[in-house]
Amino acid sequence: MILRGFALLEAAPIFGHVNKIAAVSPFRHMITPGGFRMSIAMTNCGKVGWISDRKGYRYTEIDPETGSHWPAMPSLFSQLSERAATAGGFAGFASDACLVNRYEPGARLTLHQDKDEADFRHPIVSVSLGLPATFLFGGNTRKERPRRYRLESGDVVVWGGPARLTYHGVAPLKDGVSDLTGACRINLTFRKAS
Ligand code: SIN
Ligand code: FE2
């Protein structure tokens, strides 16, 4: 479900928190298990954070770049993700991980499933800020041709239940400048990982 403009009123304070998080656990380009540098830059907040390196994908309590815990999840984030999940039909969502992705022009995310979480009964809640992007939402196999949805700043996507393991991704970001974020798109994905 796409909740158009669901986070619009809170977009500026959310972005303020993103900057504070990145001041502690900086954005970095992670390396895939296959040895490729991801085009999007990532950081996390919450009890656990998602990482990728040569050893694989996983959630960790410690940021490997800083050697410390990931920054705590701001209550604005937990409350917003809980409200969005409820609006999407998943009441009682309590996320413990927020992956923060930064897309600069040209950056993309190839089709993948979010499957490093312990229990797929919990949905994924995704918040878009800044430059618009084309979200790709496919099927249960990589082969299915994805549908394309334009996501604007403040839009929130919720997928769960039978759609929880849907292949999804983001088309290469087009050039532009956002009043809020400058020349990039920020995406927050909230998960209940552990
Ligand atoms: C993700 O799949 O983790 C991010 C999706 C997005 O940037 O919209
Ligand atoms: Fe994903």
Side-chain angles (χ1 to χ4, degrees):
M1 183 180 290
I2 301 182
L3 305 167
R4 296 283 179 201
F6 194 89
L8 206 49
L9 244 43
E10 285 138 318
I14 297 168
F15 185 60
H17 281 297
V18 167
N19 288 330
K20 282 194 235 163
I21 290 162
V24 177
S25 276
F27 281 108
R28 80 289 307 261
H29 293 270
M30 294 186 188
I31 305 297
T32 66
F36 294 100
R37 174 187 187 267
M38 296 182 76
S39 62
I40 62 179
M42 297 178 159
T43 184
N44 290 275
C45 68
K47 183 163 109 36
V48 292
W50 185 90
I51 64 163
S52 174
D53 61 19
R54 292 304 300 232
K55 287 186 268 175
Y57 305 134
R58 62 203 177 276
Y59 285 93
T60 64
E61 291 195 3
I62 300 295
D63 175 353
E65 292 286 314
T66 64
S68 299
H69 288 274
W70 298 101
M73 192 178 308
S75 57
L76 171 62
F77 284 20
S78 357
Q79 284 165 20
L80 175 71
S81 62
E82 197 266 334
R83 274 195 288 122
T86 300
F90 299 91
F93 180 56
S95 60
D96 59 3
C98 171
L99 173 61
V100 186
N101 295 147
R102 186 183 66 202
Y103 296 72
E104 274 159 5
R108 62 194 288 246
L109 193 56
T110 55
L111 285 182
H112 66 279
Q113 294 171 296
D114 291 358
K115 56 177 185 190
D116 302 317
E117 299 74 30
D119 184 345
F120 301 141
R121 284 176 302 182
H122 303 292
I124 303 287
V125 174
S126 154
V127 177
S128 293
L129 297 180
L131 288 181
T134 301
F135 185 58
L136 310 171
F137 202 69
N140 288 322
T141 62
R142 199 186 296 276
K143 281 197 316 234
E144 253 172 89
R145 180 200 288 269
R147 286 151 288 167
R148 300 167 70 89
Y149 299 95
R150 184 178 163 95
L151 295 183
E152 308 265 2
S153 195
D155 289 347
V156 177
V157 188
V158 180
W159 65 98
R164 175 62 179 74
L165 291 175
T166 301
Y167 277 89
H168 60 279
V170 177
L173 197 82
K174 296 210 171 76
D175 270 318
V177 181
S178 151
D179 290 342
L180 178 63
T181 61
C184 71
R185 168 178 186 256
I186 298 288
N187 175 263
L188 310 163
T189 46
F190 293 95
R191 302 108 185 271
K192 173 80 178 83
S194 54

